[in-house]
Amino acid sequence: MILAPSILTVKEEERNSVLEELIGLGIIYLHLDIMDGKFVPNTTPGVSMLKKINKFDFVFDTHLMVEDPINYIDKFYKAGSDIITFHYEAVDNVQQVINKILSLNIKCGISIKPNTDPKVLLPYLKDLDQVLIMSVEPGFGGQKFMDNALDKIKYLDNLRNNNDEYHYLIEVDGGVNLSNVSKIREAGANVVVMGTALINSSDKASVIKEVDNLWE
Ligand code: DX5
Ligand code: ZN
């Protein structure tokens, strides 16, 4: 079970020291939020940032909040992405994007926004390594967790338990903190993204430890 920090709100000048600290605390997954100012009303550095931090030994879990994600895949693959997750809502031909990612021998995820029904993913689930349930509207860190994510997690967990073809992990992103992480875990999530609740904490070690204890 995995805690994936999001460094969306970390300033560039602090990035390396935060990443060193996270490595020291045993973090393996790093969640990278990539925004184009079109699919979401915010922008972030893109592949240039990944190139700078690729020297760190993380699994780079890349969350593309962009229109036409197919145009980004080769660049992120070359820069070191281990998992590329795109938004269902951002593409017309979902299968084409899945095939492109899988052809590179990296892991493929699809994300759905809070108002998207997880049933839309049914035709694709057998191909996915990860399903990313957004528990806030994508675009910004520090928002409040939306409880409707819990039913989606349970729905996907139940499908997975009843179908040998499915191997996806369920990842949850947005507003995750120490008060709600246990109910997210109980619903069936495997990966939780934590931005502000971890990064803004003065005691990251104890936040990580508390989350780790839940998995045991
Ligand atoms: C929001 C991003 C999240 C965000 C999470 O669009 O996808 O990954 O950084 O931050 P918190 O945990 O603060 O909601
Ligand atoms: Zn994210």
Side-chain angles (χ1 to χ4, degrees):
M1 297 298 159
I2 300 158
L3 170 59
S6 157
I7 54 165
L8 178 62
T9 59
V10 175
K11 295 193 195 82
E12 185 172 358
E13 56 272 25
E14 289 164 11
R15 201 186 283 140
N16 278 356
S17 64
V18 169
L19 293 179
E20 275 161 27
E21 186 183 5
L22 293 174
I23 292 269
L25 292 169
I27 291 294
I28 294 168
Y29 250 56
L30 190 71
H31 183 83
L32 297 178
D33 291 301
I34 308 298
M35 305 184 187
D36 66 353
K38 291 185 229 149
F39 182 70
V40 288
N42 193 6
T43 53
T44 62
V47 78
S48 59
M49 174 185 60
L50 177 53
K51 282 184 185 159
K52 284 183 201 149
I53 66 175
N54 191 18
K55 60 186 177 206
F56 291 99
D57 191 15
F58 289 112
V59 171
F60 290 104
D61 175 34
T62 312
H63 178 193
L64 296 181
M65 286 163 275
V66 299
E67 287 179 359
D68 300 319
I70 197 140
N71 298 331
Y72 293 71
I73 291 165
D74 279 320
K75 282 180 256 181
F76 276 96
Y77 165 71
K78 285 189 192 126
S81 288
D82 299 287
I83 306 165
I84 296 183
T85 295
F86 64 96
H87 267 269
Y88 172 82
E89 303 86 355
V91 297
D92 294 324
N93 190 337
V94 174
Q95 192 66 49
Q96 181 191 31
V97 184
I98 293 173
N99 293 348
K100 171 70 193 169
I101 296 170
L102 293 179
S103 75
L104 299 169
N105 279 321
I106 55 174
K107 296 203 164 162
C108 176
I110 300 187
S111 182
I112 53 171
K113 298 204 285 184
N115 289 329
T116 302
D117 190 322
K119 287 193 179 70
V120 300
L121 300 178
L122 283 171
Y124 314 108
L125 287 176
K126 65 176 179 3
D127 292 333
L128 298 180
D129 298 298
Q130 189 161 281
V131 178
L132 173 52
I133 303 293
M134 290 303 301
S135 39
V136 299
E137 285 298 334
F140 299 92
Q143 303 182 73
K144 190 174 176 305
F145 180 84
M146 295 164 79
D147 271 325
N148 78 339
L150 297 171
D151 287 336
K152 297 186 190 183
I153 301 165
K154 286 179 198 157
Y155 170 77
L156 288 164
D157 185 40
N158 187 45
L159 281 179
R160 175 174 66 175
N161 291 337
N162 291 294
N163 190 328
D164 290 343
E165 268 192 318
Y166 297 157
H167 64 280
Y168 54 83
L169 298 180
I170 302 170
E171 181 175 34
V172 183
D173 184 11
V176 178
N177 58 41
L178 289 180
S179 313
N180 56 28
V181 70
S182 57
K183 65 183 177 187
I184 295 168
R185 162 76 184 128
E186 276 158 28
N190 311 101
V191 185
V192 286
V193 176
M194 248 196 209
T196 48
L198 175 65
I199 299 298
N200 291 359
S201 167
S202 55
D203 188 358
K204 294 188 188 59
S206 71
V207 176
I208 292 168
K209 195 163 174 230
E210 217 172 299
V211 176
D212 277 351
N213 286 341
L214 282 177
W215 308 136
E216 282 162 9

